[in-house]
Amino acid sequence: MRASEILKPLGVFVVVIAVILAGTALVGILGGSGGAGPADGEEIEGQSPGQFQPGNVLATSAPEDGEISLDDSGESKRILVDSGHSNRYSQSDLAPLVEALAQAGHEVDFTPDVPGDDGGFGETSYNATLRAYDAVLIIQPTASFSDGEIAGLEAYADGGGRIAVLAEPPQLSVGGGLSAQISEVRFGAQELTQAFGLRMGTEGLYNIEDGGNDNNYESIVASPDGSSALTEGVSNVTFDSAGYVVRTGDGAQIRMRALSGTRTLERRQAGQYPVAAQNGNFVLVADTSFLKSSELYDLDNERFTGNLLEFLVSGDKDEDVPQGSDGNGGDGGFGGDGGGTTPTP
């Protein structure tokens, strides 16, 4: 093949490339100085509305600051955290509470230290254990309280002892192992709370309205219902696993309600559901999540928690209450049912 036959097509190819490059440069010049188009569709009408701009699509969380404050000028008190009714909580979640109580001069125990005559912790020793403490905190018990324990706690409250019960609505739990069985976990102290004119509702709550939740439709917002020492200085709190409280007797007072627009998870019924109530020396809160370190400083959670701790340490219990078992027998209570603390999933 002659050299002219090779060079002719090569020359045509070079000319085509030159024309393309020249055209690209001309478009850049005509498009204005800088030649850079709007980034990410910005300034292009109809393609990037303001609400979808990067700075506007990030979820905003409730402010997380503050501290748990307690009056440290009062008498030192002993608080017992119930651990004998298959309670679902982690001691590590309660570390900020224990620290706040200790700094204020109070003592916290998670296990009983007053053994019964039989060396165990049945009804008689349960009530004997209560005599050594000024207040008891009961968090999500899933095992029931015996008649003797309930009678002892009623006498305990009548004698000035303070009781706070924190509960959660029914929820599913997945077991370990190859079978991975699914079971429903339910609040186990309905008979106890009914002795004080209150009980837990059968469903959880949710809220999808603006301002009614904290970045999660099941993380509802609640506010005080009237004024009380339990809600002093509190505007709003967030509950991540809230149920609701039902009054069943006289004397109980609602202390907090979910915001308007809150609904039940199953029936989808809207209402301003009660989430915290008090009957004298007894308080029931239909949530446990606000105590966790990840939630403790959302909104006014730490202030509500501080008020709850003040409630526990501000009682004036008689030394000789409760008197002991009512004779109904049984070996429920601390360790008697094989219970203990069960970390919340």
Side-chain angles (χ1 to χ4, degrees), residues 247-324:
R247 284 188 290 188
T248 61
D250 297 332
Q253 301 292 322
I254 303 302
R255 296 307 188 201
M256 298 198 73
R257 291 182 183 272
L259 295 188
S260 177
T262 301
R263 296 176 178 270
T264 55
L265 279 169
E266 295 181 13
R267 293 173 295 162
R268 304 292 195 266
Q269 292 185 338
Q272 288 185 279
Y273 288 90
V275 292
Q278 179 178 356
N279 190 347
N281 288 327
F282 180 88
V283 165
L284 174 62
V285 182
D287 182 78
T288 66
S289 67
F290 68 96
L291 296 182
K292 296 180 180 179
S293 57
S294 59
E295 309 298 328
L296 185 57
Y297 302 104
D298 282 357
L299 297 182
D300 297 323
N301 286 13
E302 82 286 348
R303 186 61 186 266
F304 176 65
T305 301
N307 291 346
L308 184 63
L309 297 183
E310 286 284 5
F311 163 80
L312 289 174
V313 301
S314 59
D316 187 16
K317 187 184 78 68
D318 297 333
E319 293 184 357
D320 60 346
V321 294
Q323 290 297 324

Side-chain angles (χ1 to χ4, degrees), residues 43-62:
E43 298 177 0
I44 298 179
E45 185 177 356
Q47 290 191 21
S48 187
Q51 62 267 34
F52 297 122
Q53 291 296 324
N56 297 329
V57 298
L58 298 177
T60 56
S61 299

Side-chain angles (χ1 to χ4, degrees), residues 137-184:
L137 175 61
I138 304 171
I139 303 175
Q140 184 58 0
T142 60
S144 62
F145 284 70
S146 68
D147 291 342
E149 291 172 334
I150 293 173
L153 285 164
E154 286 185 279
Y156 183 79
D158 289 342
R162 295 292 175 90
I163 305 170
V165 176
L166 310 185
E168 291 184 356
Q171 54 189 282
L172 296 180
S173 176
V174 180
L178 296 176
S179 60
Q181 294 181 344
I182 299 177
S183 59
E184 186 176 51

Side-chain angles (χ1 to χ4, degrees), residues 17 47 53 55 85 97 112 114 125 145 174 191 203 219 233 239 282 296 332 336 342-343 345:
I17 294 299
Q47 290 191 21
Q53 291 296 324
H85 295 87
L97 279 68
V114 184
S125 59
F145 284 70
V174 180
E191 292 184 355
E203 298 181 54
S219 180
F239 290 154
F282 180 88
L296 185 57
T342 302

Side-chain angles (χ1 to χ4, degrees), residues 61-220:
S61 299
E64 297 185 4
D65 52 22
E67 62 179 0
I68 302 175
S69 60
L70 290 172
D71 183 6
D72 60 0
S73 60
E75 178 186 355
S76 177
K77 299 295 179 69
R78 298 187 70 197
I79 297 91
L80 179 67
V81 181
D82 188 297
S83 59
H85 295 87
S86 297
N87 308 74
R88 293 175 64 84
Y89 68 85
S90 170
Q91 290 189 18
S92 61
D93 288 335
L94 304 186
L97 279 68
V98 174
E99 181 179 357
L101 287 166
Q103 288 180 348
H106 306 293
E107 179 183 343
V108 179
D109 289 331
F110 285 89
T111 54
D113 56 3
V114 184
D117 295 337
D118 59 356
F121 292 101
E123 286 180 1
T124 301
S125 59
Y126 180 79
N127 292 333
T129 298
L130 289 178
R131 286 201 298 271
Y133 291 90
D134 301 285
V136 57
L137 175 61
I138 304 171
I139 303 175
Q140 184 58 0
T142 60
S144 62
F145 284 70
S146 68
D147 291 342
E149 291 172 334
I150 293 173
L153 285 164
E154 286 185 279
Y156 183 79
D158 289 342
R162 295 292 175 90
I163 305 170
V165 176
L166 310 185
E168 291 184 356
Q171 54 189 282
L172 296 180
S173 176
V174 180
L178 296 176
S179 60
Q181 294 181 344
I182 299 177
S183 59
E184 186 176 51
V185 178
R186 285 185 171 272
F187 176 64
Q190 290 285 36
E191 292 184 355
L192 169 62
T193 61
Q194 286 179 349
F196 294 92
L198 297 164
R199 69 172 176 84
M200 273 290 292
T202 58
E203 298 181 54
L205 302 176
Y206 76 96
N207 194 321
I208 62 173
E209 297 187 3
D210 291 342
N213 66 69
D214 181 28
N215 281 334
N216 185 322
Y217 71 99
E218 289 187 87
S219 180
I220 68 163

